[in-house]
Amino acid sequence: MRLLVVTTASSATAVLPALELLGHAVRLAPVDIRALVDDPGHDVLLVDARLDLADARATCRLLRNTGLGAPLIAVVAEAGLIAVNAEWGLDDLLVTGAGPAEVEARLRLAMERSPAAQEVTGAVRAGDLTIDPDTYAARLRGQPLDLTYKEFELLRFLAQHPGRVFSRDQLLREVWGYDYYGGTRTVDVHVRRLRAKLGPEHESMIGTVRQVGYKFVAPPVRHAPDNEPALRR
């Protein structure tokens, strides 16, 4: 398992000593939200919350709001447990003195519960939008969207991860593949075309997160007024 420990400490074992006895690949990283969101090289993200609870809480909330895909776990001192609540947006919590067996179990369970570990299959539905990966067809309010292959793949990928923010580099890797040598402007061009084809009423489905990237914003299902018959499809 690949662990990324967000801390100012000089070693991961200073944050969670049990890691020294476990065979995971561990890296350290500073608090840099944009870099953390863009870093695909970890399975679980651990945030050091032993000393500065307020700063750690802000970091965890920001990571969760940017749609972090990997499980998010805070490491706290025992005295700090009272300050942790649901607003942190955590997947789990570890006390810095936890033993190897407990740490291993919590890491494994966090991985197993993670949506990123579950294969996304079947049709994707979001409000008036339906995406069928088997037929490569996308429909909006029952009407087919005239999408190119890459436009379809980009829309499908974003819609499969609603609310999660992806950088341009991540989208290039996931949609165009590692062997693609074009620049990130390709993503901007395809997003612009997708928004145009979705139309003014639905272009907001592809949201921009300033200085980070793009995300899919799932719209509410539109219901016909009581005095108006529902549209037949």
Side-chain angles (χ1 to χ4, degrees):
M1 193 180 301
R2 300 168 302 171
L3 309 179
L4 187 64
V5 182
V6 181
T7 182
T8 57
S10 58
S11 70
T13 54
V15 180
L16 196 58
L19 291 178
E20 186 174 9
L21 302 176
L22 300 174
H24 300 301
V26 182
R27 291 190 295 121
L28 300 182
V31 180
D32 183 338
I33 301 300
R34 184 175 181 181
L36 292 172
V37 170
D38 192 35
D39 185 348
H42 58 271
D43 299 311
V44 177
L45 195 150
L46 301 166
V47 175
D48 183 359
R50 297 170 303 145
L51 303 176
D52 193 335
L53 287 167
D55 187 61
R57 176 179 178 271
T59 298
C60 290
R61 291 189 64 182
L62 190 53
L63 283 168
R64 183 58 70 202
N65 288 337
T66 54
L68 178 72
L72 178 62
I73 299 177
V75 181
V76 301
E78 188 171 356
L81 287 172
I82 194 172
V84 181
N85 55 39
E87 293 182 357
W88 285 54
L90 299 171
D91 293 293
D92 207 342
L93 184 68
L94 278 166
V95 175
T96 187
E102 179 182 350
V103 172
E104 183 67 17
R106 289 185 179 276
L107 291 174
R108 175 172 46 81
L109 289 172
M111 277 288 295
E112 291 175 354
R113 291 192 300 259
S114 172
Q118 301 172 10
E119 184 179 3
V120 181
T121 59
V124 179
R125 294 180 178 85
D128 294 318
L129 177 68
T130 301
I131 302 170
D132 187 343
D134 293 329
T135 61
Y136 285 91
R139 292 179 175 272
L140 187 59
R141 291 187 177 175
Q143 299 301 312
L145 291 172
D146 183 17
L147 304 179
T148 66
Y149 175 74
K150 285 303 181 186
E151 289 168 354
F152 177 87
E153 287 293 300
L154 177 59
L155 179 61
R156 179 177 72 162
F157 180 77
L158 289 171
Q160 285 177 331
H161 305 85
R164 180 176 172 183
V165 183
F166 293 93
S167 71
R168 292 165 178 82
D169 286 332
Q170 284 178 303
L171 290 172
L172 280 177
R173 289 193 297 268
E174 297 292 341
V175 178
W176 279 264
Y178 283 92
D179 57 348
Y180 180 76
Y181 293 101
T184 55
R185 178 171 169 74
T186 297
V187 177
D188 297 328
V189 171
H190 279 73
V191 166
R192 186 165 63 249
R193 291 174 180 169
L194 261 181
R195 285 172 172 164
K197 291 181 179 182
L198 289 169
E201 187 177 349
H202 296 90
E203 64 180 6
S204 59
M205 286 183 181
I206 311 297
T208 299
V209 179
R210 187 176 177 83
Q211 296 184 341
V212 181
Y214 298 105
K215 67 177 180 178
F216 184 81
V217 181
V221 177
R222 190 177 72 95
H223 297 285
D226 293 338
N227 60 350
E228 177 183 324
L231 294 175
R232 291 187 178 181
R233 301 187 181 177

